[in-house]
């Protein structure tokens, strides 16, 4: 389970996820500088930390690296939700509380997701009862 990203890590990863292509420290820096004053070395350190933590992979491009996200923001959010749910001593109550916090749009998205999962991964039919018809039991 991933640890939640820090504020600056999240700002960097947001750009990597949104751009959905290999990015350089310089590109991320220039975009971040539109919102805040930040040094090149700070962004470089954050991106190196994200690489060490397994959030991004990198490849050499001349004298720099190009960084690419290892997974999607959706997968990150799902992992955080799963971890939160797994930490509960009462998972059903945690889900009820979570659903109670959702907006109507979020509930509709949840219903859509449930329909997709059920369509793509239907539950298997229950096995026939033992000793019933079709089990090979000999009739007398």
């Amino acid at each position: 389970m991933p640890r939640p990203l820090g504020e600056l890590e999240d700002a960097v990863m947001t750009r990597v996820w949104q751009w959905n292509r290999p990015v350089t420290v310089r590109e991320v820096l220039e975009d971040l500088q539109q919102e805040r004053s930040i040094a090149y070395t700070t962004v470089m350190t954050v991106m190196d930390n994200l690489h060490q933590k397994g959030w991004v992979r990198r490849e050499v491009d001349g004298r720099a690296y190009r960084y690419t996200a290892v997974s999607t923001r959706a997968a990150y959010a799902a992992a955080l939700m799963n971890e939160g749910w797994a930490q509960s001593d009462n998972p059903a109550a945690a889900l009820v509380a979570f659903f109670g916090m959702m907006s109507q749009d979020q509930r509709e998205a949840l219903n859509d997701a449930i329909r997709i999962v059920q369509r793509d991964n239907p539950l298997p039919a229950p096995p026939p009862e033992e000793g019933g018809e079709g089990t090979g039991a000999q009739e007398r």
Side-chain angles (χ1 to χ4, degrees):
M1 160 55 203
R3 268 189 26 230
L5 295 170
E7 187 260 331
L8 189 51
E9 290 174 326
D10 186 69
V12 169
M13 283 306 300
T14 294
R15 282 144 180 90
V16 175
W17 281 320
Q18 285 176 341
W19 296 339
N20 196 27
R21 61 173 174 76
V23 301
T24 65
V25 171
R26 176 76 50 204
E27 290 173 308
V28 174
L29 170 72
E30 289 172 358
D31 200 61
L32 284 170
Q33 285 178 330
Q34 294 176 29
E35 300 172 358
R36 65 178 87 190
S37 176
I38 190 165
Y40 180 91
T41 53
T42 301
V43 177
M44 182 176 64
T45 299
V46 169
M47 294 186 81
D48 184 61
N49 290 343
L50 290 167
H51 174 256
Q52 297 301 323
K53 292 177 180 182
W55 285 106
V56 294
R57 66 178 145 264
R58 66 185 180 195
E59 56 188 54
V60 176
D61 183 16
R63 294 176 48 198
Y65 286 113
R66 288 203 173 268
Y67 294 85
T68 308
V70 169
S71 66
T72 64
R73 180 179 277 286
Y76 166 68
L80 290 177
M81 289 187 285
N82 189 54
E83 179 67 13
W85 184 43
Q87 295 297 317
S88 174
D89 59 351
N90 186 339
L95 284 174
V96 169
F98 180 63
F99 296 156
M101 294 178 205
M102 295 175 128
S103 68
Q104 185 59 37
D105 287 344
Q106 290 170 323
R107 288 185 187 145
E108 288 172 15
L110 175 64
N111 285 328
D112 291 343
I114 290 169
R115 280 192 291 278
I116 290 167
V117 169
Q118 288 175 336
R119 180 195 70 209
D120 293 347
N121 301 302
L123 293 175
E129 291 184 31
E130 234 176 271
E133 290 184 33
T135 63
Q138 200 170 6
E139 292 184 25
R140 298 189 191 251

